[in-house]
Amino acid sequence: MFNAIVITKHDEQLTELTSIDKSTLSNGDVTVDVAYSTLNYKDALAICQKPGVVRQWPMIPGIDLAGTVIESSSDRFAAGDKVLLNGYGVGEVHTGGLAQIARVKGEWLVPLPKGISLKQSMAIGTAGYTAMLSVLALEQQGVTPSSGDILVTGAAGGVGSIATSLLSKLGYTVIAVSGRSEQTSYLKTLGASEVLPRSDFESSAKPLAKERFAGVIDVAGSNILANAISQTQYGGVVTACGLAAGMDLPTSVAPFILRGVKLIGIDSVMAPMQDRLAAWDRLTKDLDLSMLDSMTQTVGLNEVQELAPQLLKGQVRGRTVVDVND
């Protein structure tokens, strides 16, 4: 028996921390002794019984996990290997990482990169891996530090915090957007040159506004993304990786056909393994691990349900690592 957060559905959904056995786990060819997981926006949605995330019950949430292989019939991994996992529907259609044991497919696992610990890999987690995919997309489209300012929305959250730190270390000028003015000093510590209030981006967007940003990393969607696009300079690149403000995009084609703006979607869930490995390799080189520690809190499984609604309300800063054995 081992501990896990389990979401069940009968007449209504119920989330509880309970003791289970391996029969609750989804099928897979690798069993992992989980050391750490994380609390992400998607996990919080699932834990708070918001629709659209969990599609099979019972479900263990947790889109991230890191630990040690204890059983394997995969030719990629053997008992004792240190591994991590991000996405692939884990925590949605396949039991996830907010448990002391996980059973997954070996083809989903990434070997723990050299130079980082299991705990640090989860401090990075899907948020940091998504941020790195976004940075790589800007680079691949030719956006360099000399191109101009880079806007990061939701900057005090997980993706935004790591994106701000990464971009700053790489020499970019970062303009952060946050709905929490009290986080200004935190964001400047991460490397933001300027912090703009979220309210500047929440009203209906003009088709074209004054050109300001060479690139954008957006986690919000809706009017925030629309306003960011309208302010992107000629030939600029906007990456979209989240929908915290909504799934809609109330804009026009004007920025794309009159300014040649590019909108790049960032999918971290089903990204090919080669892209994952490239992102994790760059994270080990480009992310300031001491800065990572400063933006990370660690909690136990018994604290996750209390934190989840706070995260959805934007009250949790940076990254939250879950020590599943605490």
Side-chain angles (χ1 to χ4, degrees):
M1 303 293 289
F2 56 92
N3 294 328
I5 292 177
V6 180
I7 304 171
T8 54
K9 183 178 183 182
H10 299 291
D11 294 332
E12 59 183 10
Q13 290 189 51
L14 173 67
T15 303
E16 60 180 343
L17 174 59
T18 187
S19 183
I20 61 173
D21 61 34
K22 291 182 182 179
S23 66
T24 305
L25 301 177
S26 301
N27 292 330
D29 54 2
V30 178
T31 302
V32 179
D33 180 6
V34 180
Y36 299 98
S37 184
T38 62
L39 181 63
N40 294 286
Y41 191 82
K42 188 180 287 185
D43 301 320
L45 288 172
I47 289 164
C48 294
Q49 292 97 42
K50 303 296 184 182
V53 178
V54 176
R55 284 165 280 168
Q56 293 185 19
W57 290 268
M59 179 54 59
I60 299 170
I63 64 173
D64 291 329
L65 64 88
T68 304
V69 174
I70 50 178
E71 296 176 8
S72 175
S73 58
S74 165
D75 58 7
R76 293 187 65 221
F77 298 99
D81 289 346
K82 306 293 185 184
V83 294
L84 63 90
L85 187 151
N86 312 111
Y88 283 116
V90 167
E92 302 174 69
V93 297
H94 190 105
T95 51
L98 288 170
Q100 293 174 315
I101 301 289
R103 187 161 56 214
V104 299
K105 295 183 179 181
E107 64 199 66
W108 298 344
L109 292 167
V110 171
L112 181 70
K114 292 181 179 179
I116 63 172
S117 66
L118 289 171
K119 185 175 182 179
Q120 288 171 326
S121 78
M122 289 294 94
I124 297 168
T126 285
Y129 150 63
T130 301
M132 191 74 247
L133 289 174
S134 301
V135 172
L136 288 171
L138 293 178
E139 291 181 345
Q140 289 160 4
Q141 294 297 321
V143 179
T144 68
S146 63
S147 299
D149 295 348
I150 308 298
L151 185 75
V152 177
T153 68
V159 174
S161 291
I162 294 181
T164 298
S165 181
L166 280 169
L167 289 165
S168 175
K169 187 177 178 185
L170 289 168
Y172 292 87
T173 300
V174 180
I175 310 300
V177 176
S178 177
R180 296 176 275 175
S181 59
E182 69 275 12
Q183 301 299 339
T184 297
S185 60
Y186 163 73
L187 291 168
K188 289 191 173 181
T189 299
L190 296 183
S193 296
E194 184 179 355
V195 181
L196 302 177
R198 186 173 60 206
S199 57
D200 286 0
F201 294 81
E202 291 181 315
S203 60
S204 297
K206 297 177 181 178
L208 292 172
K210 183 179 179 180
E211 297 178 50
R212 180 164 187 189
F213 308 114
V216 177
I217 294 179
D218 177 68
V219 305
S222 195
N223 283 331
I224 294 174
L225 176 55
N227 276 287
I229 291 171
S230 75
Q231 297 177 55
T232 300
Q233 68 190 36
Y234 190 92
V237 179
V238 179
T239 65
C241 64
L243 43 77
M247 293 184 66
D248 58 322
L249 182 54
T251 188
S252 75
V253 298
F256 309 111
I257 62 176
L258 297 180
R259 289 183 179 166
V261 172
K262 301 178 184 68
L263 178 60
I264 309 292
I266 303 298
D267 169 47
S268 62
V269 178
M270 300 305 294
M273 183 55 68
Q274 63 186 28
D275 294 347
R276 294 168 183 266
L277 294 174
W280 278 100
D281 179 63
R282 283 289 300 274
L283 282 161
T284 63
K285 298 173 181 176
D286 296 333
L287 184 61
D288 183 336
L289 294 180
S290 62
M291 190 67 71
L292 178 68
D293 291 340
S294 74
M295 69 175 78
T296 303
Q297 65 170 328
T298 303
V299 300
L301 272 180
N302 62 338
E303 299 173 83
V304 168
Q305 287 175 258
E306 180 182 352
L307 275 174
Q310 296 176 32
L311 192 153
L312 295 183
K313 293 176 183 177
Q315 298 171 348
V316 177
R317 187 179 81 179
R319 297 288 295 133
T320 300
V321 171
V322 181
D323 182 342
V324 300
N325 297 302
D326 183 4

